[in-house]
Amino acid sequence: MSVVWALGAILAVLASLIIAANVLVAIVLLCHIRKSGSKGLCFVLNLALADAMVGFTVMGLAVDELSQPFHASQKFCILRMAFVTSSCAASILSLILVACDRHLAIRKPFHYFQLVTGPRVGLCLVGLWLLAAIIGFLPVFILRFQRISNHWKCSFFNLFQPSYMLTMSCLGFFPALFLFLYLYCDMLKIASVHVQHIQEVEQAGLGGSCPPPRATSDMKAMRTVAVLIGCFTLSWLPFFIASTVQMACPECFPYKVIENFLWLLALGNSLLNPLLYSYWQRDVQLQLSQLAAAVKRRVLLHLGNGRCFPGRDTKAPPAVSCLELQD
């Protein structure tokens, strides 16, 4: 019982952090998009919304863990896990869309604004959510993907057949992972070529002593791309590999290990996404710093009024000049 309660508490804390971080980033992105009109940031905004939805759906599972014993019907559990799966699928697909957008911006910078238009962005987002809903609600419509279980816990392996996990892995995750790796490795290659070209110019004595801004930004982009690839792969790959291996060898990866540890690692990607992608966007950093400064000013003003500092209802002490202090 203590292990189950601890798992519920971890899920609740993780879900709360996911919701808070992604909602904050979504608000900042929405304000920035309204000011700048950037279409590409709509994909990052959609990623934040999808990850926030992951947090909301996981919070329901955390409540179930903490309110044990919880007896839910089979249909209720299937619908709940379908929403969880759809949210996770939307998050992964949003990562792919962000990667495609960045790849297009680097590959075709002069045609980017002609290709990335409002209707096309909207069409991509509608298609993304439709595909995520199909992936998540596939067991609802295909009954052979469901597993009849009298166990009270709403979880993947209690509700879904291994064939559904294999279908998600082979037709969903692994193709998305390979596409994700290809796009970011290609961007990494382009950035490395830029850096190499700039270094050659510097060695020829044409670049000056200080590294140009392009070289600095490209090197930063290379580090960021490496972090993005590493976080996404380390978060989701163990879960899908273990789920696939568990079908052939149930003793190798018990489903409790996958659900209690590897799935938590995968959910951690929804917490890392707003931190990584907001750090990548310099304009988002500026918006966050301005928002933090505004909140800090309001808090200090409120504390100052509470401590009877000069405010609206108090009179400020008379000003004393330096000459009066000397006298």
Side-chain angles (χ1 to χ4, degrees), residues 191 195 212-224 280 282:
V195 172
R214 180 75 185 187
T216 305
S217 61
D218 283 337
M219 293 177 66
K220 181 180 178 182
M222 292 171 63
R223 290 193 298 267
T224 305
W280 196 6
R282 188 173 301 176

Side-chain angles (χ1 to χ4, degrees), residues 42-63:
C42 292
F43 298 123
V44 185
L45 173 62
N46 186 76
L47 174 63
L49 295 177
D51 285 327
M53 190 172 175
V54 171
F56 282 113
T57 55
V58 170
M59 183 63 75
L61 298 178
V63 173

Side-chain angles (χ1 to χ4, degrees), residues 274-285:
L275 304 178
L276 293 175
Y277 283 87
S278 61
Y279 175 75
W280 196 6
Q281 302 288 340
R282 188 173 301 176
D283 296 331
V284 177
Q285 297 179 35

